[in-house]
Amino acid sequence: MTSGMSTPATVTLASFDLTPHAAQERLSQVTNHLGLTKTARDKLLEKHDDDVVVTAALRTPFTKGGKGGFKDTAAADLLVGVLGALLARSQIDPALVEDIAVGSVLAPGGGATEFRAAALVAGFPETTAVKSVNRQCSSGLQACVDIAHQIKAGMIEVGIGAGVESMSMHYGPGAVTEFSALLQSHPEARNCRVPMGVLSEQMAKDRNISRASQDAFAAASFQKAQRAQRDGLFDDELAPLTVQWTDPKTDERREITVRQDDGVRQDAVTAASLGKVRPAFAADGSIHAGNASQVSDGAAAVLLMRRATARRLGQPILGKYVAAAVVGLPPLLMGLGPWKAIPAAYARAGGLATADVDLFEINEAFASQCLWCANELAIPLAKINPKGGAIAWGHPLGCTGARQVATLLTELRRTGGRVGVTSMCVGTGMGMAAVWVAE
């Protein structure tokens, strides 16, 4: 080298961030620089100060209704636990949280009074408002979406979407009130009271969803959940909870710490073994306890705020909320909700397609309806519920929608995926879906 020339800098692979997230963001930057047309997915991956982001999302373990670890724990007490865990993990100042929306289906009086009390016990000041939300099985998602939209509208800056259910204490015939003569006089209104198992059985017959295919789908859910629990894949989304529990054999009351989902079967579950289970709703039926969601107890919570706020507060960003859709359909076709809701959410997210989505969390109310929706939307089964779903580890009604957010973002971040969708069917003939991006 002559003295007048500078020495070139040494460039190594270590100089670059080669993670999947960084590569996708760099590709988007190059696309923008060259003036190329951006896809709907490209636009979703962009970051803006006014994005509504998730900075913490977690859940309690799910336990078997009537006999699991939370059978003696009130829904409001589960809420205290999950809200306290969210504060501990996020280290957010509770006084900054302006509103908490809690999805719940079965709580007497809607849960509004005890949920406000639960927030106070968990450590939030009296300045933090609380409301309960009930859109049946989508209540937890609706709570998260409500908070996200309040932030978008400028009504609040920081909020929590949550969900909770004690099916041990409140599930049963009394959960649905008697209809008046006026409601009973309307054919479609009357169908709102048809038990979901009965209408799902009829739907499976009408749409030729074989028992063998349902049992294969359910067995896969159990197997995925077993692997996920064994390999610790639930750990990042779980918040262990210590509660009082009464031993049904001895009537002894003692303190226990619930650390994992107790509905996950430890024995080998196969389509063949499920094929031996007696149908639950018709002698010649295909739906039974092994291919339908478990009755469960649990709670989940999601902390949301603007991206600019998260940066100012030093909050880690797990992902962002993009869009949601809620749809209606005939009450007897309740299980088909995701089939209508997911495309509607795609449209609201800028025209996404199934190929743009890395992972789906679709609630397994029944294997029949989840499988039918996946097939109709041409969603590869490998993209759906990679850690199992409600068949394998439970569906606390009002909690599931918030739980799905924690599960989805955790798994997307673990696998390097970016775009995810959460969805569920909703009792009385509705469906809901939302689009999220992991970071």
Side-chain angles (χ1 to χ4, degrees), residues 298-389:
V302 180
L303 179 61
L304 300 116
M305 62 190 71
R306 290 185 186 276
R307 184 182 299 278
T309 303
R311 287 173 173 162
R312 175 169 54 82
L313 297 177
Q315 284 281 306
I317 297 175
L318 306 183
K320 70 176 181 179
Y321 164 77
V322 179
V326 63
V327 299
L329 60 165
L332 293 181
L333 299 181
M334 172 276 307
L336 310 188
W339 167 62
K340 286 192 68 175
I342 290 173
Y346 287 168
R348 286 166 174 75
L352 283 183
T354 294
D356 296 318
V357 182
D358 298 306
L359 288 179
F360 293 80
E361 277 289 326
I362 302 177
N363 189 42
E364 299 169 353
F366 300 91
S368 57
Q369 56 82 212
C370 193
L371 181 60
W372 187 88
C373 291
N375 290 339
E376 289 297 308
L377 294 172
I379 302 173
L381 293 184
K383 285 188 174 186
I384 300 175
N385 305 344
K387 296 190 286 193

Side-chain angles (χ1 to χ4, degrees), residues 132-181:
S132 61
V133 179
N134 185 354
R135 197 195 289 277
Q136 305 215 49
C137 298
S138 66
S139 299
L141 177 56
Q142 187 67 62
C144 293
V145 170
D146 281 1
I147 291 295
H149 289 178
Q150 286 176 239
I151 294 169
K152 278 181 175 289
M155 182 177 174
I156 63 173
E157 192 170 6
V158 179
I160 293 172
V164 66
E165 208 74 70
S166 172
M167 297 184 76
S168 290
M169 294 192 175
H170 303 302
Y171 186 63
V176 180
T177 58
E178 291 297 324
F179 274 16
S180 68

